[in-house]
Amino acid sequence: MNQEKNQESEDEMHLESEVQEYNAPILTPEEVSQYLLTFYGINAMTIEQLIGYDSANFYIEDVNDCPILFKVIACTNPLEICEFLEHQVNLMNSIASELPHQLIQEILDPKVKQSDSKVIKIPVRCQKYKELTNEHFHYAVAAKFVPGKTMAFFLPCSMALLENMGLKFGMLSKILQNHGDEVVWARRNHKWDPKNVLFCQKLLAKLPAITTEQREMCLEFFDRYSKVTLPFIQDKCRAGLIHSDGNCNNLLVNPERPEEVCTILDFEDACSSYIVFECGSLLMYSFCYMIQSDFSQIGAHVMKGFCREQPLTEHEWSVLVDTVIARTIQSSIYGMYGAILNPENAEYILESQKESWQLLKVLSTCDRELMAKSWRHLCDDE
């Protein structure tokens, strides 16, 4: 009976994915400066726009040289996606004290409050609404900027840095399971949750650039995943909250300690999933960013760090490679589709496209059991 309900839920999620829409905000530095002064009393001296997928991110230094990050997120359909920001902030606040100092960014309290939340609503233009009006709003937050460079600056990463990344996500994973409000735990249909990779099936027909080989790899995986892997995970693996977006642009490294991740950014994709999918996302990004490196060594060091804090069960190890494939397919298909919808942001969206398809080919043709064993050997040596 539970299995039937799970399948019904998966079918409903698949349909919901068809109406998801993101409209990236468009702001000038002058507008950012005005919002910072109005809501936070911050006099911005320098404003630099950073790379973002569908949000607008700004690095600011005020008159006292204090670095600040200002993030304005996309307006979305359904609204849940943008309204989740408040719950994301609450989650970050609740876990910060139980993790190493500065591993989680500190969100600033507005001096002019619109509610009890640290989130503000501001009128902003976007891709869909080109004119500024007082009827169209975006959600935004300001945070203390943690000194450091993104992990992408340190590519190709040392094995020590990869292991530390795994360790910090293992710590995060363990703490997350005791936090989060009802909204976070009910967030099971998020498009970037790797367990929901079947959302991607209907998009295949909308991708004119996809090759026959790429399409066949996806279809073969969808068949195995829907019939075997997903039912097994639902029955045998631990459910839990995941961050779900451990890419190099969301991880800060202090240049004075280049083998340590100091801050994990962007909890926008946090959701209720299965713990093993956190590993799948971490491994996928690590492989794509270091596509010419030895996957066995990369996977072994990431998993050694993660399992030191959050050991996997035998069942979770058995499906680990499929969780990486699921996240790889999401990145590949959503990347292609996102570039069609947002051509002005295509360069950032397609950043890892070539590598993700290359990774999918390797993982689709490998011995999955043998690959997982190669990632596990350092964990077993502990």
Side-chain angles (χ1 to χ4, degrees):
M1 184 66 175
N2 287 337
Q3 191 65 44
E4 291 176 359
K5 288 183 178 180
N6 285 336
Q7 187 59 55
E8 289 173 2
S9 177
E10 294 296 322
D11 291 340
E12 290 170 2
M13 286 188 272
H14 189 101
L15 291 172
E16 284 187 329
S17 72
E18 292 300 302
V19 298
Q20 289 191 357
E21 174 185 328
Y22 291 74
N23 290 291
I26 302 170
L27 291 90
T28 65
E30 292 75 19
E31 289 169 334
V32 172
S33 178
Q34 185 60 51
Y35 288 134
L36 289 170
L37 183 61
T38 300
F39 287 97
Y40 299 94
I42 293 172
N43 287 297
M45 296 298 293
T46 61
I47 299 175
E48 176 188 353
Q49 184 157 7
L50 306 176
I51 292 174
Y53 183 81
D54 48 37
S55 59
N57 305 310
F58 298 88
Y59 172 79
I60 294 103
E61 289 186 359
D62 68 7
V63 291
N64 299 313
D65 293 328
C66 290
I68 296 158
L69 182 70
F70 187 58
K71 182 183 183 76
V72 184
I73 68 169
C75 66
T76 62
N77 177 22
L79 280 174
E80 180 275 336
I81 301 169
C82 58
E83 291 177 342
F84 182 72
L85 181 60
E86 181 173 344
H87 303 280
Q88 169 191 335
V89 169
N90 292 339
L91 177 63
M92 293 169 66
N93 287 339
S94 69
I95 64 177
S97 62
E98 298 185 41
L99 290 165
H101 178 59
Q102 291 190 332
L103 189 61
I104 308 299
Q105 269 187 313
E106 180 182 345
I107 306 299
L108 300 179
D109 267 312
K111 294 186 181 299
V112 176
K113 286 197 171 242
Q114 297 170 321
S115 66
D116 292 334
S117 171
K118 295 188 177 185
V119 177
I120 63 173
K121 287 175 66 176
I122 54 177
V124 172
R125 295 183 303 278
C126 69
Q127 293 163 312
K128 186 174 182 178
Y129 302 99
K130 301 293 186 181
E131 299 298 323
L132 188 63
T133 73
N134 288 324
E135 298 177 356
H136 178 69
F137 294 87
H138 285 247
Y139 293 87
V141 292
K144 286 187 177 180
F145 190 87
V146 179
K149 294 182 179 293
T150 66
M151 194 166 161
F153 181 83
F154 297 87
L155 293 171
C157 299
S158 67
M159 293 300 114
L161 179 54
L162 289 172
E163 187 172 325
N164 188 262
M165 176 191 71
L167 176 69
K168 295 299 171 55
F169 267 88
M171 291 178 178
L172 175 63
S173 177
K174 186 165 65 175
I175 295 301
L176 277 177
Q177 309 320 314
N178 298 316
H179 290 270
D181 58 25
E182 292 180 359
V183 172
V184 179
W185 280 97
R187 200 185 200 205
R188 301 184 182 92
N189 65 342
H190 188 51
K191 66 176 280 187
W192 285 110
D193 178 356
K195 81 169 184 296
N196 297 328
V197 65
L198 295 177
F199 285 2
C200 296
Q201 285 185 97
K202 290 186 178 180
L203 292 181
L204 285 178
K206 301 179 181 181
L207 304 175
I210 195 169
T211 68
T212 300
E213 181 186 35
Q214 291 167 346
R215 187 187 306 275
E216 288 177 350
M217 286 190 297
C218 292
L219 291 173
E220 181 180 344
F221 176 76
F222 290 148
D223 185 63
R224 180 175 77 247
Y225 183 79
S226 62
K227 293 177 181 177
V228 180
T229 308
L230 180 59
F232 180 87
I233 290 173
Q234 291 172 328
D235 186 46
K236 301 293 186 181
C237 297
R238 293 172 295 170
L241 294 186
I242 62 173
H243 174 280
S244 193
D245 195 16
N247 76 74
C248 287
N249 291 312
N250 284 337
L251 304 174
L252 295 183
V253 176
N254 188 330
E256 295 180 2
R257 299 191 302 275
E259 295 184 345
E260 292 183 20
V261 169
C262 62
T263 306
I264 298 174
L265 306 173
D266 198 352
F267 282 68
E268 191 173 328
D269 292 325
C271 57
S272 181
S273 182
Y274 294 87
I275 290 171
V276 67
F277 282 112
E278 191 79 270
C279 300
S281 294
L282 279 180
L283 291 169
M284 185 280 292
Y285 281 119
S286 299
F287 296 149
C288 283
Y289 281 112
M290 300 173 66
I291 196 69
Q292 301 301 327
S293 301
D294 183 346
F295 289 175
S296 295
Q297 285 298 306
I298 294 172
H301 282 86
V302 171
M303 293 310 300
K304 179 183 180 183
F306 189 90
C307 290
R308 192 178 302 166
E309 291 289 333
Q310 182 73 290
L312 297 192
T313 67
E314 290 293 331
H315 291 314
E316 289 164 344
W317 276 109
S318 73
V319 295
L320 183 57
V321 176
D322 268 355
T323 69
V324 183
I325 296 176
R327 188 61 182 80
T328 304
I329 287 178
Q330 284 184 315
S331 182
S332 301
I333 292 180
Y334 285 142
M336 273 190 172
Y337 191 58
I340 294 171
L341 296 178
N342 304 294
E344 69 283 352
N345 208 18
E347 182 178 356
Y348 175 77
I349 295 173
L350 297 175
E351 181 178 353
S352 62
Q353 273 290 289
K354 181 180 177 181
E355 289 79 9
S356 65
W357 287 115
Q358 187 175 339
L359 173 60
L360 180 59
K361 186 172 182 178
V362 171
L363 296 179
S364 296
T365 56
C366 77
D367 182 323
R368 296 191 300 279
E369 182 178 355
L370 189 61
M371 181 70 81
K373 284 182 178 178
S374 75
W375 299 342
R376 188 173 183 176
H377 78 274
L378 287 182
C379 302
D380 290 341
D381 289 344
E382 284 281 286

